[in-house]
């Protein structure tokens, strides 16, 4: 085999220095270590689950449903949404039976971390506003810090009232006298 011709400094390409060679060797060693670590982790996982499709474990091996769901939630970034969905189902255990009988969670805004709660009377809405700080602390203890920042409390939903058969366009009823 013939040796490649060395490039002279006049051609503009510098030869790698000792530091550059050391960096590339370190990069290669880290990649090999990472690969070995992944192989060890996969073997450990295969021993723990005990299910394999063949002689060696791979991505086609069956996994328990809970583990598959947890992996899907992690990959998609749905952990907080799933945790808040769990709160919707466990609301009576978290807030207690008295509050749960009169107030229920309706929605959760993930971007603003706001949980909206609907109450069946204005008295319970006022009471829940007073307890909001304690409920936020309890919910964050259950779900993880910062999952819920505020609780938006809504009073009872009142029906839309129409006042008479004839109405002016854009009128909001008898209270529409100013403006």
């Amino acid at each position: 085999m013939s040796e490649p011709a060395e490039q002279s400094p006049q051609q503009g390409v510098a030869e790698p220095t000792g530091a550059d060679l050391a960096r590339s060797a370190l990069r290669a060693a880290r990649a090999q270590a990472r690969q070995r670590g992944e192989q060890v982790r996969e073997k450990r996982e295969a021993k723990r689950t005990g299910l394999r499709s063949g002689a060696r474990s791979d991505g086609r091996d069956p996994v328990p449903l809970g583990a598959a769901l947890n992996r899907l939630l992690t990959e998609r970034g749905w952990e907080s949404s799933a945790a808040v969905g769990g709160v919707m189902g466990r609301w009576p255990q978290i807030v207690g039976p008295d509050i749960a009988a009169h107030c229920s969670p309706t929605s959760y805004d993930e971007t603003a971390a706001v949980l909206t709660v609907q109450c069946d009377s204005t008295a319970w809405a006022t009471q829940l506003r007073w307890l909001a700080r304690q409920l936020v602390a309890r919910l964050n203890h259950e779900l993880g810090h910062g999952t819920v920042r505020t609780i938006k409390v809504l009073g009872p939903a009142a029906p839309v009232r129409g006042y008479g058969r004839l109405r002016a366009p854009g009128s909001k009823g008898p209270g529409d006298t100013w403006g």
Side-chain angles (χ1 to χ4, degrees):
M1 291 187 140
S2 64
E3 293 183 16
E6 290 186 14
Q7 295 178 352
S8 66
Q10 294 134 358
Q11 292 177 344
V13 178
E15 293 183 18
T17 64
D20 293 333
L21 293 173
R23 280 189 202 104
S24 64
L26 179 63
R27 215 176 298 125
R30 283 182 179 166
Q32 289 174 352
R34 191 176 308 117
Q35 186 178 15
R36 281 194 306 268
E38 288 174 7
Q39 290 173 349
V40 168
R41 185 184 53 79
E42 287 173 0
K43 284 182 182 179
R44 211 177 291 139
E45 183 75 25
K47 284 181 182 179
R48 188 174 64 196
T49 58
L51 301 172
R52 293 187 181 173
S53 61
R56 291 189 167 71
S57 65
D58 60 5
R60 300 173 296 162
D61 291 335
V63 294
L65 182 62
L69 287 176
N70 286 337
R71 188 175 71 199
L72 178 68
L73 291 174
T74 303
E75 288 173 357
R76 303 287 180 171
W78 295 338
E79 292 106 348
S80 65
S81 298
V84 171
V87 166
M88 302 285 187
R90 296 180 322 173
W91 182 253
Q93 290 86 17
I94 294 173
V95 299
D98 293 336
I99 295 174
H102 298 282
C103 305
S104 61
T106 57
S107 65
Y108 175 70
D109 181 12
E110 188 172 347
T111 57
V114 175
L115 179 67
T116 305
V117 178
Q118 179 86 39
C119 297
D120 62 359
S121 70
T122 55
W124 276 102
T126 303
Q127 181 69 23
L128 199 65
R129 284 185 190 103
W130 281 98
L131 295 173
R133 196 174 266 183
Q134 294 170 354
L135 287 177
V136 167
R138 190 179 303 170
L139 289 169
N140 283 331
H141 178 71
E142 292 280 330
L143 303 174
H145 182 67
T147 306
V148 177
R149 287 192 194 123
T150 58
I151 295 179
K152 181 179 177 182
V153 180
L154 303 176
V160 177
R161 299 177 70 189
Y163 295 95
R165 294 185 345 220
L166 300 175
R167 294 179 42 135
S171 172
K172 293 186 173 51
D176 190 20
T177 57
W178 299 92

